[in-house]
Amino acid sequence: MSTDLTAERALAEALALKAGALLMRHRAQGFAVEYKTSPDDPVTLADTEASALIVAGLSAAFPDDGILSEELTDNAERLSKSRVWIIDPIDGTKEYVEGSPDFCVSIGLSVNGEAVLGVVYAPAHQDLYLGVVGDGVWHNGTSSGFSARPPETAVIGVSDTEHKRELHQYPIRNMQPSGSIALKLALIASGALDATFTMSPRSEWDIAAGMALIRAAGGVTTRRGGAAIALNSPQPSIRRGLVAGRLDVVQWLERELWRLAVPEQQLALVPSDATWTLLSEADQGTLPGGEALHIRHAAGRLTALILLEAAEHGLSVVRAEGDAADLRVLSRDVTRFAGEAGAGLKE
């Protein structure tokens, strides 16, 4: 990549540091916590103030660029932009609220759907990670990159929520649970970890900056199964699990996830998804795709399915199948995906 991003790099770094300082002040002073869809989905005044600070700075310097922030009402105007800043003012809000240091500010720049620049700042650790595709990765100003560990001894970052819930049951070697996915991606790009994967979907703001860091280091971030992730999509949810890291480790990890039948959720299933074929032939011919249909699967086998329809107060489940544990996990992700409409989700 030959584009000079010196100004963008400097501003994103400065804004991440300012936002991080704001977050630490709020934490020291105390704050109220609200919840979007569940206790696992908190939001605070610090989220909105940090978002406003970052958005104001980027908009003033680059008024022609689009903006996508978790805490900003989405605007379809961004879809017409080739350059879009994708922001999570606090990735790991749950950890931030609980007093853990495992949270960060995440600022990524997408050009024509590809992550090209990323800044991840973990203020409680005072760790700043910066990546520019074509230029490299820096950790606190020092050039950095992937570790040289072979795949068989690779350190795999995983979600602490997913690990507590079910991942601990699977004999994947060297799992290291933590909160923020953006911070995990930064740790991979700087060599502290080697790869990560998720069972649940993530959103673009969770991963855009980290994708740039991974790409700048020479690695990959894809959906599980290898499908590419295009940024600045109309629906910013990735809709299924992801995998990221050094290419040889990712390839080894994908084989392990299949061998061990580690599940994942896929939301808003559509016929063009490779996993559509996991449905029965009858369902493939009759079920509506899109935001009504959600599945959980492992090693090529469907383990749970939820079909929704619009109801007077939110959404209603018209079909749910699979064992109770699989349905509980899938229902949690469906509720979060559906947002306010899913808050009234009921059978």
Side-chain angles (χ1 to χ4, degrees):
M1 181 180 167
S2 59
T3 304
D4 182 7
L5 296 175
T6 302
E8 290 86 345
R9 166 183 167 173
L11 180 60
E13 181 177 349
L15 291 172
L17 291 169
K18 288 181 181 178
L22 182 153
L23 300 184
M24 297 307 288
R25 287 197 301 273
H26 270 289
R27 175 179 264 191
Q29 295 166 359
F31 46 78
V33 180
E34 297 180 356
Y35 297 93
K36 297 177 183 178
T37 59
S38 75
D40 289 330
D41 197 12
V43 64
T44 72
L45 181 62
D47 294 81
T48 54
E49 287 191 0
S51 179
L53 183 157
I54 296 166
V55 169
L58 293 173
S59 297
F62 305 108
D64 295 329
D65 290 355
I67 299 282
L68 174 63
S69 172
E70 181 176 14
E71 306 306 332
L72 189 69
T73 301
D74 196 8
N75 186 336
E77 183 182 357
R78 67 178 170 83
L79 300 176
S80 65
K81 306 287 188 179
S82 61
R83 291 181 21 135
V84 179
W85 293 92
I86 304 176
I87 304 155
D88 194 344
I90 311 180
D91 187 57
T93 303
K94 183 171 178 284
E95 286 71 25
Y96 176 71
V97 166
E98 292 174 347
S100 164
D102 186 22
F103 66 92
C104 65
V105 179
S106 175
I107 304 174
L109 175 62
S110 165
V111 177
N112 296 324
E114 293 191 329
V116 299
L117 181 153
V119 174
V120 170
Y121 179 49
H125 293 292
Q126 296 187 327
D127 278 326
L128 179 71
Y129 303 87
L130 170 67
V132 179
V133 175
D135 290 340
V137 176
W138 296 266
H139 175 208
N140 289 339
T142 300
S143 181
S144 190
F146 292 140
S147 86
R149 286 181 287 267
E152 294 77 13
T153 60
V155 183
I156 309 301
V158 298
S159 159
D160 53 1
T161 299
E162 293 178 356
H163 188 266
K164 290 173 186 174
R165 187 174 62 201
E166 55 185 325
L167 263 181
H168 66 275
Q169 303 170 23
Y170 295 89
I172 300 170
R173 291 192 295 274
N174 297 329
M175 282 193 290
Q176 185 169 308
S178 62
S180 164
I181 182 68
L183 189 51
K184 278 192 277 287
L185 295 172
L187 290 168
I188 293 167
S190 61
L193 303 175
D194 296 297
T196 189
F197 72 94
T198 71
M199 305 171 78
S200 298
R202 297 296 187 269
S203 296
E204 290 187 21
W205 46 73
D206 298 319
I207 64 170
M211 280 182 72
L213 289 164
I214 295 288
R215 189 172 171 226
V220 296
T221 304
T222 68
R223 292 173 171 84
R224 281 178 58 180
I229 298 171
L231 297 175
N232 194 33
S233 298
Q235 169 52 262
S237 171
I238 307 305
R239 297 194 300 115
R240 66 178 296 182
L242 60 88
V243 60
R246 205 177 76 210
L247 181 58
D248 61 333
V249 181
V250 165
Q251 292 171 337
W252 170 84
L253 180 58
E254 286 272 39
R255 292 192 295 270
E256 283 293 283
L257 296 177
W258 183 274
R259 181 179 69 85
L260 297 170
V262 178
E264 67 167 316
Q265 288 69 258
Q266 184 154 1
L267 307 182
L269 190 70
V270 295
S272 59
D273 290 324
T275 47
W276 183 263
T277 59
L278 298 180
L279 302 174
S280 69
E281 288 187 9
D283 282 344
Q284 290 180 49
T286 59
L287 288 184
E291 297 189 1
L293 182 60
H294 313 275
I295 65 169
R296 178 171 158 95
H297 58 93
R301 184 177 69 87
L302 190 71
T303 63
L305 179 150
I306 292 178
L307 180 65
L308 306 177
E309 68 176 8
E312 183 178 354
H313 301 290
L315 297 169
S316 178
V317 177
V318 293
R319 179 176 166 189
E321 59 190 44
D323 69 37
D326 284 312
L327 282 171
R328 275 197 303 273
V329 176
L330 180 57
S331 179
R332 171 186 174 276
D333 280 1
V334 170
T335 299
R336 190 166 186 173
F337 176 80
E340 291 184 5
L345 200 62
K346 58 183 179 180
E347 302 240 356

